[in-house]
Amino acid sequence: MIHATLRAKKTHRATVTVTMVLDDLDTAYCTDDQGHRYTIDRRSAVSISALSEGLQLDVLATEHGLVQRLAFDEDDD
């Protein structure tokens, strides 16, 4: 429980647009409206095969820009 709380404080919600998908590397790159860069890779709970360039996603990401998972309305609590 403590670990989940600590991890939750290190993440933030962002709306990102997929800019590049590299299927062979299991990696996708994204940016938000302010130009911050985000990465989706095998550490993320997001399927690379479901992504395409131009797709907009609400995500929870670390302060370093690694997307952990998709964000849902329940995450606003």
Side-chain angles (χ1 to χ4, degrees), residues 14-68:
T15 300
V16 299
T17 302
V18 178
T19 55
M20 185 185 316
V21 179
L22 304 171
D23 289 322
D24 53 335
L25 298 177
D26 291 330
T27 304
Y29 297 105
C30 311
T31 57
D32 64 11
D33 290 340
Q34 299 172 338
H36 298 114
R37 295 183 204 167
Y38 294 85
T39 302
I40 299 173
D41 63 18
R42 60 184 61 142
R43 297 171 288 178
S44 307
V46 178
S47 174
I48 301 295
S49 62
L51 302 178
S52 61
E53 291 180 15
L55 183 67
Q56 280 197 316
L57 304 167
D58 285 329
V59 299
L60 290 179
T62 67
E63 58 190 18
H64 302 292
L66 175 65
V67 171
Q68 290 190 331

